């Protein structure tokens, strides 16, 4: 939002310089991004009078001009403008001046062999928006032309400073000169002088021709006024043109300029349609019942007033007359209904559209305008009718126009919003204010005259004064006040906390005590956070690299079960991800294709799943392992170009063992993503912890992968719960055993389909109380064994805490183990 300081001074009393105003606005939430001093545009520019024009001897399109710039000698300037002639006043850039708009420093030079001592400028070359072609002829701009050699600042309206403000989404009132004037009045406690608006507004209700309720809400308004006896060929008054030009808007004609002027002043967009062109468009005289709004048809074409063609979708909101599009709602008017130099009668639209409808349309057509930016932030419904009337008042001053009728779909009866504001809550949230005492006699300054401060609660007068200056009205209440919010702030002052925030802004944040709250106890990491950090370190020390990928992804073309966002910015980020492995596969592929010998990665991230109508977030440890992790080829001691299944699983096992977790593998065949013969379900404490396996060869071929990739997926929450159990998070140390252990080996003949883990589990249970460790030391499968049988040899370690065990103590345990194995799995003892 660009704000003219001169314009602002007409609306509010400004008691300080522009730098202090900029600082106050920035501190209150309206950040001043830039201060533009327009007087600098006229540096080195003077008024000149063209006394003589002669042809250039060496160029047909150039002219040699003798120009009086108020000095003793005339300047000779070579000019190529078609409208240069004798007897006109022009703008002359003298030697040494710099034209920022075209990045040109003026110097004496020869043009095609003829000396040129300056430059005759157009308005655009100086940096002023203008639709005029050629150089600026001052007689065409004003009847009061300054003398040669004088500065053109006053003539061009360049005695102004522009404040470029960043307006946040929650302060739509800041998108107007009136809103900024109110803010300064509240901050500086100065007089506000707002433009008067006629209040005698008689409205006739009508029902628009529409089939969509998504464009205008039930509380909003859509109004039209038919105005005759206007002139599209008449230019705006100089003061309107200067104000629009200074803030970056190009003056067009009186009708369009007044609509734009009111938009900047009041913050509410207006649009004028040429009534005669609308009649031509629909083939008859238009009446109020013809006007309406709807969603565009898919592929419908639209020619805008910017002479560009737009292809509309059914997400675009449009204004129609007899179902013919005359505007894209809240964004752009059409060429076939635009006000032009022949306009004699207009329809003036003042409407309040839904912010999301305008935002969606703007994104669909790829265009954001001054109007759409205001609608998107939200406009108070109470501004619609008064803004239209303000435009009518200005049109009446300019033309002897005639208002045929005022139509609207709603009669706005503003119901003032009342909020109970608690005095105690203000003091609790904002805290104390610092009050300085500078009177030496009071004892509040020391010998060095340093100021002492006292801390007090905000007084009732300061609280009520701040809110009153914002336009609120207050009534006493037993706990504080009943605050009535003004219409212009009805969109953002909705709760008690909003009012408290406004009090802090107006009083000044810097006045409040900045003491920090005393913590109840020192901060620190929770057990879960400690374990998660430890898990990250363990995976990294095992050779894997941690990555982070986006939670927002494109829609899944295969499964189409991802959760879609309501209002995504891009199609590529339109859904919440439901897995991590897809991006991991892509990362591995990019690394291998880039010449890396391997890619070992892991990520701790969330996926999002639809569960009975609810969205459930699930946090996983997921990763992919492929190839060999080596620094150089000379380090490779084998011809194997990729890690195998057992080595990859061993990397995970090293992490589990470091966390003192006993994870068991069970065969996994039902997961279509993994190789059925090289996949396992990970079991921890009897629950499914996750899965590990080789990426299915079919999918590997589809992704164009040349090496085997091993994927793993672990539920973080289960791992945290298991790791945080007593004795695992913080290991307890015990003394070394002082008695020797005893070992016994048993070789078992078992069915081939019996898993080693199942046998070990039975041995551990049956070997109590002396069993210390059991491990598989040999597995044999050969022709000399019974068909369907294999041999598995185990080493069992026994130890007593008190004494050395004897054979008499161990043998009964060995027999009990064999008895349990035979009853459970029908094993046979090969040897012992």
């Amino acid at each position: 939002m660009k704000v003219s300081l001169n314009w602002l001074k007409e609306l509010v009393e400004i008691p300080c310089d522009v730098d202090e105003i900029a600082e106050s606005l920035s501190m209150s939430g309206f950040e001043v991004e830039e201060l533009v001093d327009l007087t600098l545009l006229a540096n080195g520019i003077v008024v000149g009078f063209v006394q003589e024009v002669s042809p250039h001897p060496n160029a047909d399109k150039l002219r040699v001009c003798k120009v009086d710039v108020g000095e003793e000698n005339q300047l000779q300037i070579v000019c190529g403008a078609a409208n240069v002639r004798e007897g006109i006043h022009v703008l002359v850039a003298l030697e040494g001046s710099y034209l920022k708009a075209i990045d040109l420093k003026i110097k004496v030079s020869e043009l095609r062999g003829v000396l040129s001592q300056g430059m005759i400028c157009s308005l655009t070359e100086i940096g002023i928006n203008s639709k005029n072609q050629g150089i600026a002829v001052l007689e065409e701009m004003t009847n009061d032309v300054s003398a040669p050699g004088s500065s053109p600042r006053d003539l061009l309206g360049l005695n102004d400073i522009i404040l470029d403000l960043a307006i946040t989404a929650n302060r739509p009132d800041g998108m107007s000169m009136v809103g900024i004037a109110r803010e300064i009045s509240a901050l500086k406690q100065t007089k506000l002088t707002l433009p008067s608006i006629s209040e005698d507004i008689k409205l006739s209700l009508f029902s628009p021709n529409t089939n969509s309720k998504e464009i205008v809400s039930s509380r909003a308004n859509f109004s039209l006024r038919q105005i005759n006896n206007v002139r599209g060929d008449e230019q705006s008054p100089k003061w309107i043109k200067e104000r629009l030009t200074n803030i970056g808007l190009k003056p067009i004609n009186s009708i369009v300029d007044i609509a734009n002027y009111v938009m900047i002043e009041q913050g509410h967009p207006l649009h004028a349609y040429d009534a005669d062109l609308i009649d031509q468009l629909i083939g008859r005289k238009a009446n109020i019942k013809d006007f309406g709004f709807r969603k565009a048809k898919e592929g419908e074409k639209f020619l805008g007033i910017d002479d560009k063609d737009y292809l509309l979708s059914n997400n675009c909101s449009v204004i129609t007359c007899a179902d013919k599009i005359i505007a894209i709602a809240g964004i752009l008017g059409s060429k076939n209904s635009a006000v032009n130099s022949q306009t004699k009668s207009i329809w003036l639209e003042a409407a309040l559209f839904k912010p999301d409808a305008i935002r969606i349309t703007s994104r669909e057509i790829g265009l954001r305008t001054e109007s759409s930016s205001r609608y998107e932030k939200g406009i108070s419904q109470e501004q619609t009718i008064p803004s239209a009337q303000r435009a009518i008042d200005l049109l009446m001053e300019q033309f002897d126009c005639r208002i045929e009728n005022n139509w609207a779909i709603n009669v706005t009866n503003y119901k003032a919003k009342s909020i109970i504001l608690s005095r105690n809550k203000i003091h609790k949230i904002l805290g104390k204010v610092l009050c300085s005492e500078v009177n030496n006699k009071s004892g509040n300054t020391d010998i060095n005259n340093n100021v002492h401060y006292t801390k007090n609660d905000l007084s009732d007068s300061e609280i009520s004064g701040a809110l009153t200056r914002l336009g609120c009205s207050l009534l006493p209440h037993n706990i504080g006040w009943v605050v009535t919010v003004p219409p212009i702030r009805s969109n953002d002052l909705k709760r008690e906390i909003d009012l408290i925030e406004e009090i802090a802004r107006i009083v000044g944040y810097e006045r409040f005590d900045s003491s920090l709250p005393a913590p109840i106890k020192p901060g620190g990491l929770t057990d879960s956070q400690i374990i998660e950090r430890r898990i990250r370190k363990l995976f990294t020390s095992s050779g894997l690299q941690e990555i982070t990928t986006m939670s927002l992804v494109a829609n899944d073309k295969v499964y189409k079960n991802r959760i879609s966002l309501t209002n995504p910015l891009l199609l590529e980020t339109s859904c919440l991800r439901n897995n991590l492995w897809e991006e991991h596969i892509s990362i591995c592929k990019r690394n291998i294709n880039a010449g890396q010998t391997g890619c070992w990665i892991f990520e701790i991230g969330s996926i999002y799943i639809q569960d009975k109508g609810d969205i459930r977030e699930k946090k996983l440890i997921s990763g992919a392992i492929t190839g060999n992790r080596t620094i150089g080829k000379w380090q490779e001691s084998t011809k194997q170009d990729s890690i195998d299944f057992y080595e990859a699983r061993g990397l995970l096992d090293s992490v589990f063992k470091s966390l003192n977790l006993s994870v068991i593998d069970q065969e996994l065949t039902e997961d279509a993503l993994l190789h059925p013969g090289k996949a396992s379900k990970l079991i921890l404490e009897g629950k499914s912890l996750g899965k590990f396996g080789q990426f299915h060869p079919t999918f590997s071929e589809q992704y164009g992968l040349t090496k085997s990739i091993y994927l793993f997926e672990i539920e973080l929450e289960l791992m945290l719960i298991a790791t945080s159990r007593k004795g695992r998070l913080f290991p307890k140390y015990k003394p070394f055993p002082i008695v020797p252990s005893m070992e016994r080996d048993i070789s078992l003949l078992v069915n081939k389909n019996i898993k080693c883990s199942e046998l070990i589990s039975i041995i551990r249970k049956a070997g109590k109380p002396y069993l210390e460790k059991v491990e598989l030391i040999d597995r044999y499968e050969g022709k000399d064994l019974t068909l369907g049988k294999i041999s598995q040899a185990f080493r069992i370690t026994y130890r007593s805490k008190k004494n050395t065990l004897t054979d008499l103590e161990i043998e009964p345990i060995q027999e009990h183990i064999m008895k349990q194995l035979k009853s459970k799995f029908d094993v046979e003892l090969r040897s012992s």
Side-chain angles (χ1 to χ4, degrees):
M1 171 70 183
K2 289 181 169 58
V3 174
S4 163
L5 185 63
N6 288 345
W7 191 351
L8 207 55
K9 287 178 178 178
E10 290 190 7
L11 300 173
V12 64
E13 182 183 334
I14 297 181
C16 53
D17 61 25
V18 67
D19 291 324
E20 186 175 336
I21 288 294
E23 176 67 17
S24 298
L25 287 172
S26 294
M27 289 300 295
S28 70
F30 291 116
E31 182 186 356
V32 179
E33 296 183 322
E34 186 181 12
L35 283 174
V36 181
D37 188 351
L38 297 182
T39 61
L40 300 179
L41 296 178
N43 281 356
I45 309 293
V46 298
V47 175
F49 180 71
V50 182
Q51 293 188 329
E52 182 183 331
V53 177
S54 59
H56 193 289
N58 302 318
D60 294 338
K61 294 185 179 181
L62 298 180
R63 300 287 185 271
V64 180
C65 306
K66 299 292 185 179
V67 184
D68 178 10
V69 292
E71 298 178 356
E72 184 177 349
N73 298 319
Q74 297 177 351
L75 297 183
Q76 178 174 286
I77 300 176
V78 177
C79 180
N83 61 335
V84 67
R85 58 188 183 274
E86 295 178 0
I88 60 173
H89 287 81
V90 293
L91 300 174
V92 178
L94 301 177
E95 179 187 2
S97 60
Y98 174 69
L99 303 180
K100 185 178 180 181
I102 57 174
D103 191 22
L104 177 66
K105 186 172 184 179
I106 305 301
K107 57 185 178 180
V108 176
S109 59
E110 287 190 2
L111 294 177
R112 303 291 294 268
V114 176
L115 183 69
S116 182
Q117 298 171 301
M119 177 177 173
I120 301 176
C121 303
S122 67
L123 292 177
T124 305
E125 289 166 336
I126 293 175
I128 300 174
N129 285 330
S130 175
K131 64 178 182 179
N132 296 329
Q133 301 294 323
I135 59 172
V137 179
L138 301 188
E139 283 81 1
E140 297 174 358
M141 298 169 58
T142 180
N143 295 324
D144 185 19
V145 180
S146 303
S150 60
S151 173
R153 287 191 180 96
D154 290 334
L155 174 67
L156 300 176
L158 296 179
N159 284 324
D160 200 359
I161 296 176
I162 303 301
L163 295 84
D164 195 353
L165 306 181
I167 307 300
T168 54
N170 66 323
R171 290 299 304 275
D173 59 298
M175 295 292 286
S176 67
M177 293 295 302
V178 168
I180 299 301
R182 287 180 184 275
E183 187 75 10
I184 293 174
S185 175
L187 292 171
K188 298 299 181 182
Q189 303 183 39
T190 56
K191 183 181 179 182
L192 192 65
T193 308
L194 299 181
S196 59
I197 301 175
S198 302
E199 295 182 359
D200 186 19
I201 306 170
K202 296 180 180 179
L203 294 174
S204 301
L205 295 180
F206 83 105
S207 298
N209 183 9
T210 181
N211 58 3
S212 175
K213 296 182 180 180
E214 301 173 5
I215 303 172
V216 176
S217 68
S218 58
R219 293 180 62 251
N221 217 332
F222 180 82
S223 65
L224 287 166
R225 286 149 183 80
Q226 189 174 9
I227 306 173
N228 294 329
N229 201 26
V230 294
R231 292 184 57 185
D233 59 348
E234 190 167 317
Q235 294 299 305
S236 303
K238 181 183 176 184
W239 60 275
I240 288 183
K241 292 170 69 174
E242 284 181 358
R243 289 179 178 179
L244 293 178
T245 300
N246 288 350
I247 62 172
L249 295 181
K250 186 183 294 185
I252 307 297
N253 57 47
S254 289
I255 301 169
V256 176
D257 293 350
I258 286 173
N260 288 335
Y261 181 88
V262 172
M263 175 181 68
I264 301 300
E265 181 189 80
Q266 301 293 326
H268 197 300
L270 305 172
H271 189 74
Y273 303 97
D274 186 303
D276 296 327
L277 288 182
I278 287 181
D279 293 344
Q280 293 177 24
L281 179 66
I282 67 173
R284 57 177 171 80
K285 189 73 174 175
N287 61 68
I288 189 62
K289 294 181 180 179
D290 292 320
F291 290 91
F293 40 83
R294 61 173 171 84
K295 290 294 184 180
K297 301 167 186 175
E298 192 69 37
E300 202 166 3
K301 294 182 179 180
F302 176 83
L303 177 62
I305 55 175
D306 56 358
D307 290 319
K308 292 182 180 178
D309 288 309
Y310 295 90
L311 192 65
L312 307 181
S313 72
N314 53 18
N315 290 323
C316 298
S317 304
V318 296
I319 307 299
T320 62
C321 183
D323 207 38
K324 304 279 187 182
I325 298 180
I326 56 174
I328 298 177
I331 301 176
L332 186 68
S334 69
K335 186 75 172 179
N336 58 15
S337 64
V339 171
N340 55 73
S341 60
Q342 306 300 317
T343 299
K344 299 269 190 300
S345 177
I346 63 170
W347 289 91
L348 182 65
E349 171 200 289
L352 182 56
F353 303 107
K354 286 186 176 181
D356 53 349
I358 303 302
R359 192 179 300 114
I360 291 170
T361 303
S362 179
R363 188 176 67 240
E364 286 285 327
I365 65 174
L367 179 65
R368 199 163 186 261
T369 61
E370 289 283 349
S371 295
S372 67
S373 63
R374 285 166 171 78
Y375 281 122
E376 287 177 25
K377 285 182 170 64
I379 300 171
S380 173
Q381 62 171 331
E382 290 73 33
Q383 292 178 259
T384 305
I385 303 301
S387 295
Q389 190 58 39
R390 171 63 173 155
I392 290 174
D393 291 346
L394 291 173
L395 287 169
M396 296 285 281
E397 292 177 10
Q398 182 74 6
F399 309 107
D400 184 21
C401 55
R402 186 173 66 256
I403 312 301
E404 296 299 329
N405 208 337
N406 296 324
W407 289 279
I409 63 174
N410 282 324
V411 176
T412 304
N413 292 318
Y414 175 63
K415 294 181 180 179
K417 181 180 294 184
S418 296
I419 302 171
I420 297 176
L421 179 61
S422 166
R423 181 183 291 104
N424 290 335
K425 193 166 185 179
I426 295 173
H427 299 328
K428 180 180 179 181
I429 291 175
L430 299 183
K432 306 285 186 179
V433 291
L434 299 175
C435 301
S436 62
E437 298 287 350
V438 293
N439 186 358
N440 285 326
K441 294 181 180 180
S442 69
N444 288 309
T445 59
D446 58 24
I447 194 170
N448 296 320
N449 212 28
N450 293 324
V451 180
H452 290 180
Y453 291 93
T454 59
K455 299 178 182 180
N456 301 314
D457 288 327
L458 270 177
S459 66
D460 285 2
S461 61
E462 284 184 290
I463 294 170
S464 59
L467 293 175
T468 301
R469 294 197 300 274
L470 287 171
C472 299
S473 58
L474 290 81
L475 292 174
H477 189 272
N478 58 356
I479 65 169
W481 300 267
V482 177
V483 182
T484 303
V485 177
I488 195 171
R489 298 298 302 277
S490 60
N491 281 355
D492 66 299
L493 297 184
K494 298 179 178 180
R495 304 168 298 166
E496 183 183 24
I497 192 65
D498 298 329
L499 296 175
I500 295 174
E501 181 186 357
E502 290 301 285
I503 294 169
R505 282 196 325 104
I506 301 305
V507 170
Y509 296 120
E510 70 280 359
R511 287 190 56 197
F512 290 93
D513 185 23
S514 59
S515 59
L516 296 174
I520 299 174
K521 62 179 181 179
L525 298 176
T526 64
D527 288 350
S528 295
Q529 290 171 328
I530 293 172
I531 296 169
E532 187 172 328
R533 289 192 177 190
R534 189 178 174 193
I535 290 171
R536 294 177 191 272
K537 290 180 180 179
L538 289 172
F539 271 102
T540 304
S541 62
S542 296
L544 280 76
Q545 183 174 351
E546 185 173 7
I547 62 169
T548 302
T549 58
M550 288 280 290
S551 297
L552 298 178
V553 294
N555 195 13
D556 192 338
K557 295 180 180 179
V558 180
Y559 301 106
K560 297 182 180 180
N561 57 350
R562 287 179 175 158
I563 299 164
S564 299
L565 301 184
T566 303
N567 191 25
L569 291 175
L570 301 168
L571 289 175
E572 291 79 4
T573 56
S574 60
C575 298
L576 293 170
R577 66 185 177 190
N578 57 357
N579 68 69
L580 297 174
W581 64 265
E582 281 189 87
E583 186 60 30
H584 294 174
I585 291 291
S586 299
I587 292 171
C588 288
K589 182 180 178 181
R590 285 197 298 271
N591 276 269
I592 297 300
N593 290 344
Q596 297 296 318
T597 57
C599 182
W600 298 4
I601 56 176
F602 79 97
E603 177 180 8
I604 298 179
S606 296
I607 62 173
Y608 305 88
I609 303 167
Q610 198 89 30
D611 185 14
K612 296 179 181 179
D614 296 327
I615 298 174
R616 185 164 61 92
E617 180 180 359
K618 188 177 181 182
K619 204 163 186 181
L620 302 175
I621 308 172
S622 181
I625 304 170
T626 185
N628 289 315
R629 288 291 303 274
T630 55
I631 298 174
K633 292 288 185 182
W634 58 273
Q635 285 185 315
E636 294 184 11
S637 58
T638 175
K639 293 182 179 180
Q640 184 178 346
D641 68 344
S642 182
I643 191 171
D644 64 21
F645 175 87
Y646 299 103
E647 290 173 316
R649 177 62 181 85
L651 296 175
L652 292 187
D653 203 46
S654 66
V655 174
F656 296 145
K657 287 182 177 178
S658 298
L659 295 171
N660 198 21
L661 298 178
S662 178
V663 177
I664 299 172
D665 289 63
Q666 288 185 0
E667 187 178 4
L668 178 62
T669 57
E670 63 271 14
D671 194 319
L673 189 66
L674 302 177
H675 192 303
K678 295 183 178 180
S680 62
K681 185 187 295 183
L682 305 178
I683 305 298
L684 175 63
E685 298 178 345
K687 297 179 181 179
S688 176
L689 177 66
K691 59 185 178 182
F692 170 83
Q694 181 182 333
F695 193 44
H696 200 289
T698 303
F699 293 118
S700 291
E701 187 176 346
Q702 291 176 4
Y703 278 85
L705 303 172
T706 56
K707 294 185 177 183
S708 297
I709 293 185
Y710 301 96
L711 305 178
F712 62 89
E713 191 176 274
I714 299 167
E715 288 196 34
L716 178 63
E717 186 177 355
L718 289 178
M719 198 166 178
L720 293 176
I721 292 171
T723 308
S724 60
R725 297 196 191 284
K726 187 177 180 180
R728 283 180 177 165
L729 180 58
F730 301 106
K732 292 184 178 180
Y733 297 95
K734 58 183 179 181
F736 285 104
I738 58 175
V739 296
S741 63
M742 301 287 286
E743 293 181 349
R744 293 290 185 271
D745 293 346
I746 58 173
S747 182
L748 306 173
L749 195 63
V750 300
N751 288 331
K752 193 175 182 179
N753 59 353
I754 297 176
K755 296 180 177 63
C756 168
S757 59
E758 295 174 342
L759 298 173
I760 289 177
S761 178
I762 296 298
I763 294 172
R764 280 177 176 162
K765 291 178 182 178
K768 295 178 180 180
Y770 297 132
L771 189 143
E772 183 179 79
K773 183 173 66 172
V774 57
E775 57 185 335
L776 178 71
I777 59 173
D778 181 64
R779 183 181 184 280
Y780 175 72
E781 182 177 356
K783 294 180 179 179
D784 55 330
L785 297 179
T786 307
L787 185 64
K789 299 280 188 177
I790 59 171
S791 172
Q792 295 189 33
F794 297 91
R795 178 161 294 160
I796 305 173
T797 304
Y798 299 99
R799 193 193 304 268
S800 171
K801 294 180 180 180
K802 298 178 181 180
N803 57 281
T804 303
L805 294 173
T806 65
D807 289 341
L808 292 177
E809 293 172 299
I810 293 175
E811 285 304 324
I813 298 175
Q814 287 281 95
E815 291 175 1
H816 181 62
I817 290 172
M818 282 304 303
K819 183 178 178 182
Q820 291 296 316
L821 289 172
K822 284 182 179 179
S823 64
K824 293 287 185 181
F825 301 110
D826 193 25
V827 303
E828 298 177 24
L829 184 65
R830 287 190 68 199
S831 62
S832 60

